[in-house]
Amino acid sequence: MFAERIVEFQGALASFQPDRVLGKGVPEALEGWIVNLLVAAGEAAAAASWPQIRAYDYREYGLNGNRSRFEELYFRRRLMLNDLVLAEWVEGQGRFLDAVIDGLLLISEESGWQLPAHNSYERGGKRLSMADPDDPVVDLFAAETAAILSTTLYLLRDRLDAVDPLVSKRVEREINVRIFKPYINRHFWWMGRGDERMNNWTAWITQNVLLAAFTLPTDETLRRAFLPKALMSLDAFLKDYAEDGACEEGVIYYRHAGLCLHGAMTILDQVAPSAMKPLWQEPKVRNMADYIRHMHVGGDYYFNFADSSAVVPPCGAREYLFGRAVGSEALMGFAAADFVRDENRLMPKEWNLWYRLQAILAASEIMSHERAAPAKADHYFPGIGLAIARDNRFALAVKGGHNGESHNHNDVGSVTLYKDRQPLLIDVGVETYTAKTFSPHRYEIWTMQSAYHNLPSFGGVMQCDGVEFAAQGMDVRFEEEMAEISLDIAGAYPAEAELQSYRRTVRMVRGRTVQMRDEYHGVGPATLSLMTVLEPRTDEGRIWLGNKAEIRLEGAGSITVEPLDITDSRLRQSWPVRLYRLLVPLTGSTLTLTIS
């Protein structure tokens, strides 16, 4: 789809202007509240000390697997630079320039821009303990750093050159050495290889490389060397999406996948204005845009699976602009409603300076746009086997598919349920990333295991990871009075589970109850896990989840309640200090739960 559009780039290639968010340049005057926020953030950054990054901080990932301590220092530098740049841009008095130069040079002098966790040349390859300045790795955040620095030069070049033109020259040199040369001369896995599955890396990095290449005053020859590689990468990324547009990596990665596709297309739209026009109307692209609103439950809660959290920051300018580009009024209204209620609508914690520009420049239009209530419709994503049903009280998701997806958790057949926009049966999510998270030991982590999803185990045997461990026979029916999702999850378990079949049928009787019926044909004992955020009480055949819901059971033995204390900072963004796992043994071949 993208590569075949190369013929549209035959004329002179235009430069990309990051401040032309809505098809026009910077407004003469930003609203006062925006200027005040940006200047205040710049003043705070100017008063702070730049983080010192030691060799040990980089090496620590290889020594003990901790990646968060280095990343906190690394990203704080970039956030400080963003704050300083935006303050100088809107104020224009020069009082932040010295601090901006300090930030630019500090980042330019880092040995490598790639994260320690990504410091390898092949997918899943050996991580080097230190960055090699003579052989840079282009990872997510090396490319993101190039985007930050090139946007900075675009906004402030004249003012920086008035102080010393060597600053811009040094920054451009580093981007050329660390990003442009390896991008042209090396094939990184995320660029796409035949049928190999890509993930968010492909769109995310391609967007930021394009941003740097077409924002800086690069020559026509270099720009033309970038185009075919970038277009082929976008095709490699898009090929792994079904027509329904679902992001298999979960809602948090929508912002690094679908929204980065939008970013790359936006850049290409300026480079050659006719090149992307028909692609905005492609059904798959529009479905990718709308995915996020279908996943919304209420407030900051979303249906989550894989490495996504249940609580996600509100949507904003990027979602609004994607909706605008594909003509989705529903997405624009949804994003506008979130933007207005979000205290952080100008994205103060965002690393990518261009995203912050988008929020600043689109703020007035978004806040005046008609706001839409969250969608309440049922929806089915057959590409990943995800069915969502709703009524006036319940919001239900059933995950089919397979256990070989990017950022996979072993969760085939798991159920997530909300009542009155509050969580009842939950997907816990993922802990803070460490070296173990993306290693052969990934499924030793409890949050990845099917026994910590709303799924059965058989004599302790859990689901396995891999494309071959999948649901079969998924059937979805949405009717006026009811919704029913049915699937057989036996294929998600290894042979030692000794399963012939395990048919799960989840039925929502609208306005009344949600019923889950599991029919089991196998040899060993079966025990169902239920994960909840509400403190449960149990009695013969009944479970009460706080004062929110009652579950009546048929075919269950004595229930065990296991408290789980939550200390991980990433999990605590979604959940309180304690979650609960209920272990429900099956006494026969059928277990029925009726939730009201």
Side-chain angles (χ1 to χ4, degrees):
M1 184 163 72
F2 284 95
E4 67 188 23
R5 304 295 296 170
I6 191 70
V7 296
E8 301 296 332
F9 293 87
Q10 296 306 309
L13 300 175
S15 293
F16 178 62
Q17 299 170 282
D19 57 350
R20 295 180 65 85
V21 171
L22 301 172
K24 54 183 182 289
V26 182
E28 290 184 5
L30 294 170
E31 293 186 36
W33 67 270
I34 296 177
V35 174
N36 291 340
L37 280 175
L38 297 180
V39 170
E43 290 172 341
S49 298
W50 289 98
Q52 179 185 9
I53 300 178
R54 305 168 300 165
Y56 178 83
D57 297 321
Y58 200 97
R59 294 173 54 234
E60 187 180 12
Y61 175 80
L63 296 172
N64 60 32
N66 184 288
R67 56 185 286 177
S68 59
R69 280 187 284 270
F70 170 84
E71 290 177 16
E72 194 279 330
L73 301 171
Y74 175 99
F75 289 120
R76 185 146 50 93
R77 277 187 176 181
R78 285 146 178 82
L79 290 173
M80 286 176 63
L81 178 63
N82 287 350
D83 286 339
L84 292 162
V85 169
L86 291 172
E88 178 59 34
W89 175 61
V90 297
E91 187 182 79
Q93 297 179 7
R95 65 188 180 114
F96 298 102
L97 279 177
D98 286 341
V100 168
I101 292 169
D102 287 343
L104 289 172
L105 270 294
L106 274 172
I107 292 170
S108 294
E109 290 170 358
E110 292 172 357
S111 295
W113 288 344
Q114 69 271 28
L115 297 185
H118 302 161
N119 192 24
S120 64
Y121 298 102
E122 289 294 333
R123 190 176 203 169
K126 179 183 177 182
R127 267 71 171 171
L128 304 181
S129 62
M130 297 289 291
D132 183 352
D134 294 324
D135 195 3
V137 172
V138 180
D139 79 328
L140 297 173
F141 298 106
E144 189 112 286
T145 298
I148 295 169
L149 300 187
S150 59
T151 304
T152 296
L153 294 188
Y154 175 84
L155 296 176
L156 300 180
R157 181 185 292 272
D158 290 345
R159 299 177 213 178
L160 292 168
D161 286 353
V163 175
D164 193 330
L166 288 176
V167 174
S168 298
K169 186 176 179 181
R170 172 66 188 280
V171 170
E172 288 181 335
R173 175 193 177 278
E174 297 303 327
I175 293 172
N176 185 54
V177 168
R178 298 168 189 254
I179 305 298
F180 293 167
K181 286 185 176 179
Y183 183 86
I184 295 298
N185 296 321
R186 179 190 283 272
H187 186 94
F188 293 94
W189 68 265
W190 49 261
M191 293 175 170
R193 285 195 184 105
D195 294 333
E196 183 180 349
R197 288 185 67 80
M198 295 293 99
N199 60 16
N200 65 85
W201 280 52
T202 306
W204 193 352
I205 297 174
T206 300
Q207 170 203 258
N208 286 319
V209 170
L210 285 172
L211 190 152
F214 285 94
T215 299
L216 293 176
T218 49
D219 63 40
E220 185 83 359
T221 301
L222 184 63
R223 291 179 173 187
R224 292 208 171 274
F226 277 90
L227 272 174
K229 297 193 78 168
L231 294 173
M232 285 188 289
S233 289
L234 293 177
D235 280 333
F237 169 73
L238 205 63
K239 79 177 184 337
D240 295 319
Y241 270 75
E243 284 297 314
D244 59 36
C247 179
E248 70 175 23
E249 299 172 292
V251 290
I252 199 71
Y253 281 97
Y254 165 84
R255 289 176 175 167
H256 305 313
L259 287 186
C260 286
L261 176 72
H262 166 254
M265 292 175 69
T266 299
I267 295 163
L268 294 169
D269 242 352
Q270 278 195 32
V271 170
S274 65
M276 294 294 106
K277 187 175 181 180
L279 302 189
W280 291 118
Q281 302 309 312
E282 284 287 331
K284 184 188 286 192
V285 174
R286 177 164 179 154
N287 290 339
M288 290 173 70
D290 277 331
Y291 166 80
I292 192 69
R293 66 182 180 85
H294 293 302
M295 298 297 290
H296 184 246
V297 176
D300 289 347
Y301 283 120
Y302 284 79
F303 289 119
N304 66 305
F305 56 89
D307 278 352
S308 190
S309 303
V311 171
V312 175
C315 291
R318 295 176 72 208
E319 290 85 354
Y320 176 88
L321 293 169
F322 200 1
R324 194 176 187 265
V326 300
S328 173
E329 286 290 339
L331 179 56
M332 293 170 72
F334 172 62
D338 259 11
F339 189 84
V340 169
R341 73 177 179 87
D342 184 11
E343 294 181 355
N344 296 313
R345 63 180 70 97
L346 298 186
M347 309 175 78
K349 297 179 181 179
E350 172 55 55
W351 309 313
N352 193 306
L353 183 55
W354 181 42
Y355 301 166
R356 295 197 64 186
L357 269 183
Q358 290 175 317
I360 292 162
L361 296 172
S364 295
E365 177 177 315
I366 298 173
M367 294 185 77
S368 63
H369 192 276
E370 184 177 351
R371 299 157 206 169
K376 294 297 182 186
D378 301 333
H379 200 81
Y380 179 40
F381 294 103
I384 60 171
L386 178 68
I388 294 168
R390 309 172 193 265
D391 63 16
N392 59 353
R393 299 207 74 186
F394 288 105
L396 164 72
V398 180
K399 177 72 169 66
H402 58 78
N403 282 332
E405 296 164 334
S406 180
H407 290 270
N408 175 71
H409 292 201
N410 288 339
D411 61 358
V412 169
S414 193
V415 171
T416 307
L417 183 64
Y418 286 77
K419 184 178 180 183
D420 299 328
R421 306 201 307 176
Q422 298 301 309
L424 292 184
L425 301 179
I426 66 171
D427 185 305
V428 175
V430 67
E431 294 178 311
T432 302
Y433 287 165
T434 67
K436 193 174 186 179
T437 310
F438 300 103
S439 78
H441 302 287
R442 176 179 177 87
Y443 295 95
E444 296 172 8
I445 301 171
W446 67 277
T447 59
M448 312 289 183
Q449 299 172 350
S450 61
Y452 290 89
H453 289 75
N454 298 308
L455 289 166
S457 299
F458 305 93
V461 178
M462 300 181 289
Q463 292 186 6
C464 286
D465 61 289
V467 175
E468 65 273 27
F469 295 98
Q472 300 294 327
M474 189 166 186
D475 182 60
V476 178
R477 289 193 295 146
F478 297 138
E479 299 175 0
E480 184 177 353
E481 300 295 327
M482 57 86 76
E484 185 174 278
I485 302 106
S486 177
L487 70 172
D488 192 326
I489 63 173
Y493 292 83
E496 52 265 37
E498 299 184 281
L499 278 175
Q500 281 80 56
S501 67
Y502 195 102
R503 169 67 59 174
R504 168 165 285 182
T505 303
V506 186
R507 172 179 289 186
M508 172 186 288
V509 181
R510 301 195 197 272
R512 295 175 57 191
T513 61
V514 173
Q515 184 184 85
M516 184 169 75
R517 179 180 174 85
D518 288 359
E519 297 181 63
Y520 159 57
H521 297 283
V523 176
T527 301
L528 174 67
S529 294
L530 295 175
M531 306 297 298
T532 183
V533 68
L534 299 169
E535 184 172 6
R537 293 180 293 113
T538 66
D539 198 359
E540 188 83 19
R542 294 197 177 205
I543 302 169
W544 291 268
L545 299 180
N547 60 2
K548 195 71 181 170
E550 177 185 345
I551 304 176
R552 300 187 301 279
L553 301 99
E554 299 175 27
S558 181
I559 299 166
T560 301
V561 177
E562 180 181 284
L564 300 169
D565 292 331
I566 303 301
T567 58
D568 178 77
S569 60
R570 183 164 178 168
L571 291 181
R572 287 298 313 280
Q573 292 174 15
S574 295
W575 309 123
V577 295
R578 177 164 288 184
L579 300 177
Y580 300 90
R581 180 168 76 141
L582 294 96
L583 299 173
V584 183
L586 280 69
T587 58
S589 61
T590 303
L591 172 65
T592 302
L593 287 72
T594 303
I595 305 167
S596 59

